[in-house]
Amino acid sequence: MTDQRSQAELVRQSLKRRYRKERRFRAYGITAIAIALAALVILFADIIGKGSTGFLKTTLTLNVQLDGQMMYLDDATDERQLKMADFVEPLIQALIREIPSVTESDRSAVRGLINPYASVTLRDALKANPEWLNTTRTMTFLAHSNVDVYVKHAGNEAYSIKLSEQQRSWVDQLQEKGVIETSFNDVFFQNGDSRDPSKAGILGAVVGSLLTMFVTLILSFPIGVAAAIYLEEFAPHNKLTDFIEVNINNLAAVPSIIFGLLGLAVFINLFGMPRSVPVVGGLVLTLMTLPTIIISSRAAIKSVPPSIREAAEGIGASKMQVVLHHVLPLAMPGMLTGSIIGMAQALGETAPLLLIGMVAFIVDVPDGFFDSATVLPVQVFLWSGSPELAFIERASAAIMVLLAFLMSMNALAIWMRKRLERRW
């Protein structure tokens, strides 16, 4: 009886230890998840805190006197006179009239409140409307990037160091009068890159990313699916296919910059293709994405039950008919999901594209696959390396746009898996 009690006590003690270990393991898991979520919240809070103001622009609304004598312009339809005319002086005079304390000696300081491209905006408006000459018009211009940063971060000394105390006082007065206002930054989505932060936008990078992703998709998906079908359904099981399978798995873990070096050596140096174009970028990202698509496609093919193949063969279908008419349609949802995830990974890549020249400063929006272009991750890389605070702000805003693209693609993959997946 005593032995039975002692054995029962040993069992109870063992169970208590096991339950404690399980509770500790569960606590470790919850703690790890909490730490990961906290890090993610901190990351998103930092990006949103820095980038949310990038979706705002600061503008000046002025009553501009388009005095031909002041601008040295007699005829607004004369191209030669338009090139030689002074479009800065009307802007300075309009701003001086809004600030009573300003004198002619403060002209250079006043000029520092106006965007350098404001004179171009005025010239283009007068060129489009020649009848405006010698009239007064209410027009809106972008403020200088230093004013833009100061207005959007009022009270933070770190964002006002490039404005003098006098200029800050003027900006405060103009805000009170409603001359300086902030609004949605449509320029950010309508322009390409620029040396001036207030004129810089992501349209060129977004179009370049879409063109590059299109090339990647039309090459990687059919090639990856065809390779997966051959390896899984038709390839003989020998040392050669084993060698190929091992290398495909290894390629999926190769650092992306290696594919950039391969693209530089093969597509640019060997074949002489141009640098910084979506076609070359798409080819490089195709090389990087193929292993992921092949692996996911093979897994999708393996998930199709053998009974499907046996039933098709039982009614006289050939091997090709079994694969194309039965296996492939059933495996397609998994293939599409893997391909979307691979494309999302390629969309966020920067390193391989830097090596093929897509780091160049590109102002124009690309019109085709062979036009010079950059992509969104590289645009973020360029802006984040700038000492201008306004560029850092726009880099964070571009990161938010890129994250929105990535989350959308991953959400689409999850939806497709839930919508099209069949359980056997």
Side-chain angles (χ1 to χ4, degrees), residues 87-120:
F87 294 102
V88 176
E89 186 62 24
L91 299 173
I92 295 177
Q93 293 299 328
L95 201 50
I96 288 175
R97 286 193 296 272
E98 297 290 346
I99 312 174
S101 60
V102 173
T103 62
E104 285 293 327
S105 61
D106 299 321
R107 289 173 56 85
S108 61
V110 171
R111 180 70 181 87
L113 304 181
I114 306 171
N115 190 277
Y117 289 91
S119 59
V120 178

Side-chain angles (χ1 to χ4, degrees), residues 80-313:
R80 184 173 178 276
Q81 288 192 35
L82 285 171
K83 291 180 180 179
M84 302 296 293
D86 182 4
F87 294 102
V88 176
E89 186 62 24
L91 299 173
I92 295 177
Q93 293 299 328
L95 201 50
I96 288 175
R97 286 193 296 272
E98 297 290 346
I99 312 174
S101 60
V102 173
T103 62
E104 285 293 327
S105 61
D106 299 321
R107 289 173 56 85
S108 61
V110 171
R111 180 70 181 87
L113 304 181
I114 306 171
N115 190 277
Y117 289 91
S119 59
V120 178
T121 303
L122 180 58
R123 182 198 65 194
D124 293 342
L126 195 56
K127 183 178 179 180
N129 303 276
E131 68 277 6
W132 288 7
L133 187 62
N134 295 316
T135 64
T136 300
R137 296 285 172 173
T138 301
M139 303 179 66
T140 300
F141 306 93
L142 289 174
H144 197 282
S145 59
N146 295 336
V147 176
D148 179 60
V149 170
Y150 171 74
V151 169
K152 291 189 290 189
H153 300 274
N156 191 333
E157 289 296 325
Y159 289 92
S160 60
I161 55 176
K162 292 196 174 183
L163 291 179
S164 66
E165 186 175 345
Q166 184 184 45
Q167 287 176 317
R168 278 178 260 173
S169 174
W170 293 342
V171 171
D172 293 338
Q173 293 178 41
L174 292 172
Q175 280 188 277
E176 291 177 3
K177 295 179 66 174
V179 175
I180 292 182
E181 295 179 324
T182 56
S183 59
F184 176 71
N185 190 5
D186 54 342
V187 175
F188 185 69
F189 295 95
Q190 295 176 354
N191 287 8
D193 199 5
S194 174
R195 297 294 184 190
D196 182 60
S198 59
K199 292 283 289 183
I202 60 171
L203 181 59
V206 169
V207 173
S209 294
L210 292 177
L211 293 174
T212 302
M213 289 297 103
F214 180 76
V215 173
T216 304
L217 178 62
I218 63 173
L219 292 177
S220 61
F221 183 72
I223 295 174
V225 170
I229 291 174
Y230 174 76
L231 290 173
E232 199 62 36
E233 297 290 338
F234 297 99
H237 294 286
N238 52 34
K239 292 183 178 180
L240 177 60
T241 54
D242 290 342
F243 176 76
I244 293 174
E245 290 177 3
V246 168
N247 280 278
I248 289 174
N249 293 328
N250 289 337
L251 285 173
V254 169
S256 60
I257 196 169
I258 303 300
F259 293 100
L261 290 170
L262 178 62
L264 177 64
V266 176
F267 300 127
I268 294 178
N269 292 341
L270 182 61
F271 294 138
M273 299 183 72
R275 288 175 175 265
S276 189
V277 294
V279 166
V280 178
L283 289 170
V284 171
L285 293 181
T286 295
L287 296 177
M288 190 194 74
T289 310
L290 269 176
T292 302
I293 295 178
I294 293 173
I295 292 171
S296 62
S297 298
R298 292 188 67 188
I301 293 172
K302 287 179 181 178
S303 67
V304 177
S307 58
I308 300 293
R309 298 175 175 83
E310 294 168 359
E313 291 171 352

